[in-house]
Amino acid sequence: TAMALLCVVGSASPIKLRAVRDAFAECAWLGAVEGVSAPSGVSDQPLGKDETERGARNRALAAAEAVPTAHVVVGIENGMLLAHEQKASAITEENRVLAWIDAACIVVMHRPRRRPPPTHP
């Protein structure tokens, strides 16, 4: 019998779970998509590409740790980025008028199944 495939999302957010289910359905994914609460390890409102990506990666890794049988894990983190590649460590009165973009970073990791070591008589 074929083994059911499992994707685990590092989030319990219904919006994020639906987004992953919809995306995987477009790719003819035949497995289940489940969510687990996973810490991002970044600030509540990540600023910049690096912090946003780090949050998504941390969520994917936490999902992998929470469900070791997952074939695929996904981490999603939203963060605020300044347009035009400008850097900012905080939203201030001076930069509040600049163009901020609410962007999502999505990290998808494949976890190959480990085969048990061969047994020798």
Side-chain angles (χ1 to χ4, degrees):
T1 60
M3 184 183 303
L5 297 175
L6 176 60
C7 170
V8 177
V9 181
S11 175
S13 162
I15 293 169
K16 291 179 180 180
L17 290 174
R18 189 176 82 212
V20 172
R21 285 185 180 117
D22 290 350
F24 276 47
E26 288 290 321
C27 300
W29 175 259
L30 300 176
V33 176
E34 298 177 5
V36 296
S37 183
S40 69
V42 298
S43 61
D44 288 341
Q45 179 57 77
L47 295 177
K49 177 183 161 289
D50 293 341
E51 186 180 18
T52 305
E53 182 179 334
R54 190 168 55 253
R57 183 171 307 283
N58 289 345
R59 288 184 190 276
L61 292 170
E65 187 174 314
V67 185
T69 57
H71 296 84
V72 175
V73 292
V74 177
I76 303 172
E77 187 71 28
N78 280 72
M80 298 300 293
L81 284 64
L82 272 171
H84 311 297
E85 300 296 321
Q86 298 172 348
K87 300 278 186 186
S89 58
I91 298 175
T92 64
E93 288 302 317
E94 292 77 32
N95 68 22
R96 187 176 304 277
V97 297
L98 299 176
W100 287 89
I101 299 167
D102 181 0
C105 180
I106 303 169
V107 172
V108 179
M109 296 180 180
H110 174 255
R111 274 177 68 146
R113 307 278 291 163
R114 288 197 173 96
R115 294 183 199 163
T119 57
H120 298 286

